Amino acid sequence: MRVGIIGAGAISHKHALAYRNIGFPITVCTDINPESGRNFAAQYGAQFAPTYEEVCRHPEVDYVDVCTFPDFRLQPLKECAESGKHIQVQKPISTNLATANEMVETARAAGILLSVVSQHRFDDSSMFLKSAIDEGRLGRLIQCDAYVKWFRSAEYYGRPIKGSWAVEGGGALMNQAIHQIDILRWLAGPVDTVRAMWQLGALHRIESEDVVNALLKYRSGATGVIQASTAIWPGYSERVEIHGTRGTAIITGDKLTTWDVRDDEGEPPPLAKDVASGASDPMAISLEPFERQFLDFADAIKHKRKPLVAGEEGRDAVEIVERIYNDCRATQTR
């Protein structure tokens, strides 16, 4: 697969290294900062294009990978819809649910595939746990939680666009915990009820939340907790905890660290102690899950099927975030 990349920031380098490992050439790239774009092109052997439209129309591109801030998703998607190019966007799918819905509908109407990068779906831990839950090994789910107590420095939030509603769509929940929200939605199913409280700029000089707490009730009847922060120093590995009537599984970072299930005779769990986490360093993450997701997207294109993390899944995660934010706003006025 030949890839065109829009955006040459930090995450694009992770994508580029993953593409190199799986043999997908980056044929063309662009960035709003031409110097950054040209440097990226030189580093990875790509052609530099002055505009994103040129990337989306390039004859030697099989799909476009968007590695920009979340406010720039719909624009390249519309261009890809016009040119018939498939498109993958970095999480979150957009800054708000309305745009996410428009993206999903635009891709559907154009007959192109839309995928959202949510690489933790492809961790050995989450893939094992998904199968185990589907097989009933944990019994009926009763409590499903996510804890993302990370730290980001003042320098991380040094640019005014960081943590802004307009460009990033929010703070710790939208930009850091979105991965764990996606995992919870995937493992535990739809959410019916949300109650939440936040702290706006508790530690950092940002307009959105760097501390948020939410209570959930899933459609299945299970309940849950989401805690997300970028203000907890020095930062701790994120956890997803799944508790069922037959036992408990906990993912810490990217590894399954707890499997306490009664009378379990299924496939041995991939238990591990050494975890990778972006708790204090956003780039301290493994390449392998990216490689697996990119291969899945390529296979989906080849066989004309939905990718594992299609636009609808990205939209569902943003829907939960938006409901939590709306309840936080309502709580402030009660």
Side-chain angles (χ1 to χ4, degrees):
M1 284 285 172
R2 301 166 299 177
V3 181
I5 290 187
I6 299 173
I11 196 62
S12 67
H13 291 272
K14 286 287 186 181
H15 286 212
L17 293 172
Y19 287 131
R20 179 178 291 175
N21 288 347
I22 62 177
F24 286 12
I26 301 169
T27 54
V28 62
C29 69
T30 194
D31 190 83
I32 194 170
N33 181 327
E35 182 180 359
S36 297
R38 293 184 188 280
N39 289 340
F40 183 91
Q43 184 173 352
Y44 298 105
Q47 173 189 343
F48 174 75
T51 68
Y52 76 89
E53 291 94 340
E54 292 174 69
V55 174
C56 297
R57 298 170 186 164
H58 200 284
E60 295 180 8
V61 165
D62 296 308
Y63 75 82
V64 173
D65 186 355
V66 181
C67 298
T68 62
F69 282 108
D71 66 328
F72 191 76
R73 298 280 192 267
L74 183 59
Q75 303 91 322
L77 174 62
K78 286 183 173 179
E79 198 66 38
C80 285
E82 289 288 331
S83 60
K85 303 288 187 186
H86 305 290
I87 183 169
Q88 171 180 272
V89 302
Q90 180 62 21
K91 61 77 187 172
I93 187 174
S94 65
T95 58
N96 59 79
L97 182 59
T99 303
N101 281 327
E102 186 176 354
M103 290 174 66
V104 170
E105 177 55 27
T106 300
R108 186 204 62 77
I112 62 171
L113 293 184
L114 166 62
S115 181
V116 181
V117 176
S118 190
Q119 76 275 7
H120 289 298
R121 290 261 199 118
F122 295 84
D123 291 337
D124 289 337
S125 54
S126 55
M127 290 191 296
F128 169 84
L129 190 49
K130 173 63 173 172
S131 295
I133 291 171
D134 289 348
E135 293 166 7
R137 292 171 66 178
L138 273 72
R140 177 174 53 84
L141 300 186
I142 54 178
Q143 182 77 16
C144 305
D145 310 314
Y147 305 97
V148 186
K149 297 182 178 182
W150 285 4
F151 180 77
R152 292 292 181 265
S153 66
E155 291 74 20
Y156 175 86
Y157 285 115
R159 289 176 289 175
I161 57 176
K162 295 297 292 179
S164 67
W165 294 113
V167 176
E168 293 208 302
L173 194 68
M174 180 68 92
N175 287 290
Q176 278 77 32
I178 192 76
H179 284 294
Q180 286 66 46
I181 290 171
D182 175 68
I183 292 294
L184 283 179
R185 176 65 174 76
W186 188 45
L187 297 179
V191 173
D192 272 353
T193 306
V194 168
R195 291 291 180 268
M197 299 177 67
W198 62 12
Q199 297 180 54
L200 300 175
L203 177 66
H204 303 99
R205 293 184 177 179
I206 58 174
E207 63 183 19
S208 61
E209 87 293 351
D210 52 7
V211 176
V212 62
N213 294 271
L215 296 175
L216 312 177
K217 183 174 182 181
Y218 298 91
R219 189 167 301 169
S220 67
T223 51
V225 172
I226 295 175
Q227 294 184 328
S229 179
T230 52
I232 307 300
W233 189 86
Y236 298 90
S237 296
E238 66 277 16
R239 303 193 320 278
V240 170
E241 300 188 0
I242 305 294
H243 306 278
T245 54
R246 294 189 59 192
T248 289
I250 299 175
I251 296 174
T252 306
D254 61 348
K255 299 293 192 298
L256 184 69
T257 53
T258 298
W259 179 258
D260 294 326
V261 180
R262 290 179 295 177
D263 304 319
D264 182 52
E265 297 179 351
E267 174 191 356
L271 288 168
K273 292 183 179 179
D274 297 327
V275 307
S277 169
S280 56
D281 178 1
M283 292 297 104
I285 48 180
S286 171
L287 287 178
E288 188 173 7
F290 288 104
E291 295 166 11
R292 291 174 176 176
Q293 177 157 12
F294 300 164
L295 287 169
D296 175 77
F297 191 45
D299 184 75
I301 292 170
K302 180 179 179 181
H303 293 101
K304 299 181 179 180
R305 63 167 176 86
K306 284 182 63 174
L308 179 60
V309 191
E312 291 85 350
E313 280 71 37
R315 177 195 60 197
D316 290 346
V318 167
E319 180 188 23
I320 294 172
V321 171
E322 192 160 297
R323 290 172 63 189
I324 291 172
Y325 283 164
N326 287 341
D327 198 71
C328 287
R329 294 184 181 103
T331 299
Q332 285 184 322
T333 63
R334 288 173 189 155

